[in-house]
Amino acid sequence: MFSSMMQMASRRVVLQQPGSLSAMLGGNLCRTISKSSEVNNSDYMTIRSDSQTQKPGRSSSSCDSKQQIRLKKVSRTLSTLNFSVPEAAAQTAVPKSESRDFMAVFPDLVRDLTEYGRKYDKNVATKWFVRALQYNVPQGKKNRGLASVLAYRMLAKHEDLTPENIRRAQYLGWCIEMLHSMFLMIDDIMDGSTMRRGQPAWHTLDDVKLVAINDGIMIDAAIFYVIKKHFGNEPYYARLLEEFSEMKFITTIGQSLDLLSAKMDVTQYTMDVYKSIVFHKTAYYTFYLPVAMAMHMTGYTDPEMFRQAKTILLEIGQFYQAQDDFLDCFGDPAVIGKVGTDIAEGKCSWLAVVAMQRATEEQKEVMKECYGSPDPEKIARVKKLYEQLGIPTTYAIYEEESYNMIKTHIQQISRGLPHELFFKIMEKIYRRVLWNLKDIFPGGERTIRALRNEGKRVIYVSNNSVRTMEDYRNRLGRLTDYTLDEDDVVHPARTIIEYLRSRKFDALCYVIGSTNFKNCLRDAGFHIMEGPNDPIEGLHDAIAQINDQQPVKAVIVDFDHNCNNLQLQRAQLYLQRCNDCLFIAGAMDKVLPVGPRMRLIGSGFYVEMLQQLADCKPIVLGKPGREMSKAIKRLYSIEDPHRVLFIGDQPGSDVKFGSISGFQTLLVGTGGVRPEHLLTMGEDCDEETVPNYYIPAFADLAQVVLDVQAHVAKAAL
């Protein structure tokens, strides 16, 4: 039974040791699931069984064992990166019905172009042209063409949304797809790319080779016939031609910048150079052109409206390209449809620019030696350096911060363009890589539903006490088919409350933490004090404020944006003055990255400083603290930790937390650890960061559960 189950699930589950995750689920042994990031405002979840079953064995692991899977610590923040199944790699930006309608026009487009070609050649060249069209143009997600149709539907008056006009918008969308295909065909030749849209690049076919250059030119030339056929009598016909002509010139400028930058020394890469490449090569024709086409079709002529649309759409284009660069390095070729080549080709990518901003002189020498080389070992060294520099972490924060900034800019549009159009485009792109619990990670809700159907209770655990319960309900509600209550969410404020109650603590607490964190303690009945918050000048006044002789018996520190030096000094004096004063810590993250060049101090540094100055070890009630583990076991009456499966995406926090708790652990690859990383770790072996199981994405667990259900049902017959 086990061998067939493991074979069936081998696409999804990598086991560290003998035994099967499928068997574990089938035996009703899944009790706790965690999914999280490492910083204070990231979330993960636990799932526990409501029933008791037999305890599974847990094999010991050894650093010397060849079976040992060693995991890299790749810091993650704010969101869960998905290197395996980015949404845009699997979905289009519009409903499936719209995509089907769009595809239904393509045969008519081919028929029109076939007739056009036969005016000049009735046999060989036309047949070849049709083959090139069918191989290159209708593949991929067609988001550019579909975006043009979407924009037309949202911009046109209701009475203008006739089948004929929508069909013409679809033809215009196909013209954009033809332009895109031409650029890709030429780009693949120049870059030497071997895969495109999940199939061999056109120029790699034995009977094509460099003929692909001419094929790209033919496809490009055919665009103008399609525009003339369907829009030649329209007053905006000339503007359509001008837009396409300008987009080609702008994009070739970007292509030139891209190729020339590859000849530069990597140390010369700057964000300004990168942005120029992105705007010209990608953003204009990918994002601005589809919307501009729809604006022309619907009668927009105000230059200011076009300017505002262009500003927003170019920002979206830069956002998109940074994602594309990230996927080129860390994405799965089987999913994204191409093999990443940016490192081998020495491209001026977002990752390379940020790496050079952060690298030490020694690390810059590694980049100079390895970047731009096709040698697989050198490519691996660059990827390893990216991870050492925390590029996955920085990218996650960059993505969320950029998303929020662009949303703000969209809301500031003042000339009558519908905000919803830009939000729809942005949201679909944003979800290519990221799940931040606001936009649901694809398949997450199915996994939770499947587990709940097996009798599991879902509990969300977070290191973030800044959020309110209402915020958690809003963010997590889409993952569930039931209403969350306070017992479904665990964070440091809650575990601290549970810890204090377990000690029957009723004395005064001094608290450094967010407003919500302090409100949670107050609502639980604890007497707390805070501050000082007002600025003070002069040492005498400062001492008077902090040396207040209050009977504080617990100093509690969690993340607080408003933490100041006087508060830390006050906490220090309380700890030094009272030998039996409790020192309690919540979130222990030392760094909070908020952008490529900005890393803010986290509460972990505050705790560490107080520990050194007051010579007092903290009781850590945030992950991966042992006291938090004890608190969770008490809260949910976990009597047998071996019957718990703890799932998370970080070896250094989630897996470690599960291990020190005695839980079974499942590492999810969406935090940056890919299958090849499991076997290529460094010499150091931290037993507590090695999981029992590995799975590429949380969404994959749903199918494992369904497979187990099917097997159990079959065995019962």
Side-chain angles (χ1 to χ4, degrees), residues 21-22 60 123 139 181 335 498 536 545 559 569 611 627:
L21 173 62
S22 300
S60 61
N123 194 7
Q139 311 307 323
S181 298
V335 176
E498 197 281 335
I536 294 176
Q545 280 278 353
F559 184 78
Q569 290 173 339
Q611 178 179 353
E627 291 300 327

Side-chain angles (χ1 to χ4, degrees), residues 131-152:
R131 179 187 168 197
L133 276 172
Q134 293 175 332
Y135 189 91
N136 292 283
V137 177
Q139 311 307 323
K141 300 171 291 296
K142 300 169 282 294
N143 278 338
R144 291 162 183 82
L146 288 165
S148 188
V149 180
L150 171 68
Y152 177 77

Side-chain angles (χ1 to χ4, degrees), residues 185 254 256 260 308 349 373 483:
M185 293 164 68
S256 180
L260 293 174
Q308 289 189 13
S349 71
S373 170
T483 301

Side-chain angles (χ1 to χ4, degrees), residues 72 266 328-330 342-347 349 351-353 355-356 363-392 677:
K72 290 184 178 179
V266 67
D328 185 273
C329 180
F330 293 105
D342 286 357
I343 295 175
E345 295 164 10
K347 290 294 184 69
S349 71
L351 288 80
V353 171
M356 294 311 297
Q363 290 169 329
K364 288 179 181 178
E365 288 301 317
V366 173
M367 287 290 287
K368 289 174 68 174
E369 176 189 349
C370 300
Y371 201 73
S373 170
D375 183 346
E377 291 186 3
K378 292 185 176 180
I379 293 173
R381 286 184 68 188
V382 172
K383 290 185 178 182
K384 183 176 181 180
L385 179 59
Y386 283 166
E387 291 169 348
Q388 291 172 345
L389 291 170
I391 301 300
H677 293 159

Side-chain angles (χ1 to χ4, degrees), residues 322-499:
Q323 289 184 334
D324 206 58
D325 293 349
F326 188 86
L327 289 173
D328 185 273
C329 180
F330 293 105
D332 182 353
V335 176
I336 65 176
K338 64 178 181 178
V339 177
T341 60
D342 286 357
I343 295 175
E345 295 164 10
K347 290 294 184 69
C348 181
S349 71
W350 185 89
L351 288 80
V353 171
V354 175
M356 294 311 297
Q357 291 174 347
R358 292 187 170 186
T360 63
E361 291 303 318
E362 182 180 353
Q363 290 169 329
K364 288 179 181 178
E365 288 301 317
V366 173
M367 287 290 287
K368 289 174 68 174
E369 176 189 349
C370 300
Y371 201 73
S373 170
D375 183 346
E377 291 186 3
K378 292 185 176 180
I379 293 173
R381 286 184 68 188
V382 172
K383 290 185 178 182
K384 183 176 181 180
L385 179 59
Y386 283 166
E387 291 169 348
Q388 291 172 345
L389 291 170
I391 301 300
T393 295
T394 301
Y395 172 76
I397 301 302
Y398 164 82
E399 184 171 60
E400 179 150 318
E401 291 296 312
S402 297
Y403 175 72
N404 291 333
M405 178 192 70
I406 294 172
K407 283 202 306 181
T408 299
H409 291 173
I410 292 171
Q411 290 165 348
Q412 293 172 348
I413 292 176
S414 60
R415 283 297 188 104
L417 290 169
H419 295 180
E420 185 62 22
L421 169 61
F422 301 98
F423 281 128
K424 279 186 176 293
I425 295 171
M426 189 62 193
E427 286 170 4
K428 292 300 179 181
I429 297 166
Y430 178 58
R431 291 170 60 186
R432 290 204 309 161
V433 183
L434 182 67
W435 178 45
N436 73 337
L437 298 180
K438 176 174 59 178
D439 291 317
I440 300 170
F441 181 81
E445 69 280 9
R446 292 194 300 274
T447 296
I448 292 176
R449 189 180 306 114
L451 288 165
R452 280 176 53 79
N453 288 341
E454 285 296 295
K456 318 304 175 188
R457 178 186 174 189
V458 182
I459 300 164
Y460 299 87
V461 182
S462 171
N463 231 18
N464 179 5
S465 297
V466 175
R467 288 185 181 138
T468 65
M469 185 59 207
E470 188 61 30
D471 191 13
Y472 276 115
R473 285 195 185 98
N474 292 337
R475 289 172 179 267
L476 301 175
R478 294 184 185 180
L479 285 169
T480 66
D481 54 359
Y482 60 96
T483 301
L484 293 172
D485 60 35
E486 293 188 3
D487 196 43
D488 295 319
V489 180
V490 181
H491 48 71
R494 187 177 177 199
T495 53
I496 289 171
I497 290 169
E498 197 281 335
Y499 175 80

